[in-house]
Each structure stands twice: as structure tokens, then as C-alpha cells.
Amino acid sequence: EIVLTQSPGTLSLSPGERATLSCRASQSVSSNYLAWYQQKPGQAPRLLIYGASNRATGLPDRFTGSGSGTDFTLTISSLEPEDFAVYYCQQYGGSPFTFGPGTKVDVK
Amino acid sequence: QVQLQESGPGLIKPSETLSLTCTVSGGSISRYYWSWIRQPPGKGLEWIGFIYYNGDTNYNPSLKSRVTISVDASKNQFSLKLTSVTAADTAVYYCARDPHGLDVWGQGTTVTVSS
């Protein structure tokens, strides 16, 4: 089973700042099948990035996914008020598909 | 656009079987993988398993002995059964479409296991 570790656990930033979220896998993720999700309280997660770097339909270009192998990054270039949420990475390159524990981005 | 809706009992007793259905509207269940994911209160996400529209399945080994996912293409639905539940199975259960990452999610349904 591929274990995903996300860092930091919490990221305290102000609107307009840049957010850099890390997701590290315990072994290489096949075909870079790595996705990122955003979840707000009381809501279902929302797909942001798939295949490590492909934006989901309609996603603003301030969200960028990068990385390969075992190290992946989600960057939000300039935080908007609606971006404060919990972010999860998920690998779907090998069964069982696994999620990271999440990074909470909150207001500084 | 495609929408998913989970349905099923919100409260079940320990040792009973959890049964949930996900109804797909606005599109066909064919040609995609369909997943179940759960989230215990205040915790992260856990992938339960998926089914392809032709009935092929893949389950999380941690739950495999208790899980069955099935599909009814004629009703545009897929279902989850989880046997011998305990309090540890209390969670919000989500269904989702899985073409390449989970791109469409249901709103989630809370299932509480309690006597």
C-alpha cells in the first residue's frame, strides 16, 4: 500500500499570499496518477488536479499541480478568500487507492 | 451535468449490514468507474472500493472481507454493502465518479452505528 504524507499539517496564510502544499508517497506513484482535492466544512471534496498536473474543468489557473514519482506539490499562486479549506492528495496508480491526511489552509 | 445522490439508512446497529445506493442522474453509468469513499467524523478520507459499469470491482484490502459493491445499469445505480458493522464504521459515505481522479461526488450521507 502506498502511504501518502502531506506537509505541512496546517498552513496559516493571508489572502493574496502564495500557498505551497506537499504530498510525498512512500513509493513511486504509477503513471503519476496523483490527484488533489479541496474540501470545505460540510461539503464533499472537489477535484482540483488529476494526473499530477492537469486542472479539473473550470479550475482557476491560480491552482497548479506539479511533481512526479514520489514528490508532488500543489501551488496556489495567490490565495482568494474561498481557497481556505482542507486539501487532500490521493494516489490512484496502485490499489488500494490512498489519500493523504490533508493540509489545512487557514487564515493568518 | 452528472449528479450523484446517496441514499440509505442513517442509523444502524452494531453487527448489522450497512446498505447504501448511489443514483446517477444526468448521464449514463456506462463507461466509467464508480467509487465509494468514507470519512469518519473529524478525520480524513478512506477509499472503500470501485466498480466498473461491467461489474468488475476492486476493494480496499482493509475492508475487503466485509464489502460488496454492485451495479444496476438498468436503474443507473450502484450500491455498497458493508457487513458486521461496528462503531468504527460511523462516517459520512460518499459515492463518486472515477474517470481519472474522482471528478463528480455525491453530497454524502451520514451513517451512524449505534445500539
Side-chain angles (χ1 to χ4, degrees):
Chain A
E1 172 176 324
I2 296 177
V3 177
L4 299 179
T5 303
Q6 291 187 244
S7 60
T10 302
L11 195 53
S12 296
L13 295 168
S14 300
E17 290 194 295
R18 182 184 188 89
T20 303
L21 288 67
S22 174
C23 177
R24 179 162 291 179
S26 60
Q27 56 189 279
S28 185
V29 176
S30 177
S31 302
N32 292 327
Y33 281 172
L34 192 287
W36 290 93
Y37 302 88
Q38 176 193 69
Q39 188 177 35
K40 297 179 181 179
Q43 296 184 17
R46 169 196 177 195
L47 178 68
L48 303 176
I49 301 288
Y50 63 93
S53 60
N54 301 286
R55 291 189 189 90
T57 303
L59 185 70
D61 60 8
R62 65 180 181 272
F63 292 90
T64 301
S66 62
S68 64
T70 60
D71 289 301
F72 300 89
T73 301
L74 175 69
T75 302
I76 309 171
S77 60
S78 178
L79 283 164
E80 296 288 338
E82 62 268 28
D83 298 336
F84 292 93
V86 178
Y87 292 82
Y88 295 95
C89 58
Q90 180 215 15
Q91 69 80 23
Y92 53 101
S95 182
F97 300 166
T98 48
F99 290 91
T103 290
K104 183 178 182 180
V105 179
D106 65 12
V107 180
K108 187 174 181 180
Chain B
Q1 73 276 19
V2 175
Q3 293 184 312
L4 307 182
Q5 178 67 59
E6 305 91 348
S7 58
L11 177 65
I12 59 174
K13 293 180 169 54
S15 80
E16 292 186 341
T17 295
L18 179 160
S19 294
L20 298 174
T21 296
C22 183
T23 300
V24 179
S25 59
S28 173
I29 203 166
S30 299
R31 297 193 303 112
Y32 288 107
Y33 291 87
W34 303 89
S35 290
W36 287 98
I37 305 96
R38 69 180 183 178
Q39 185 170 36
K43 295 189 177 181
L45 300 164
E46 180 180 29
W47 176 76
I48 298 172
F50 69 65
I51 190 164
Y52 194 45
Y53 75 98
N54 67 359
D56 290 345
T57 55
N58 191 339
Y59 302 137
N60 191 323
S62 68
L63 298 168
K64 188 173 184 177
S65 64
R66 300 193 291 130
V67 169
T68 302
I69 299 175
S70 58
V71 63
D72 187 337
S74 68
K75 295 182 179 179
N76 241 25
Q77 294 177 334
F78 63 106
S79 299
L80 170 70
K81 289 190 186 302
L82 182 66
T83 62
S84 306
V85 298
T86 69
D89 296 309
T90 293
V92 176
Y93 285 76
Y94 295 100
C95 59
R97 189 177 73 171
D98 192 358
H100 209 330
L102 301 159
D103 71 336
V104 180
W105 293 65
Q107 65 185 22
T109 187
T110 299
V111 177
T112 302
V113 179
S114 175
S115 55

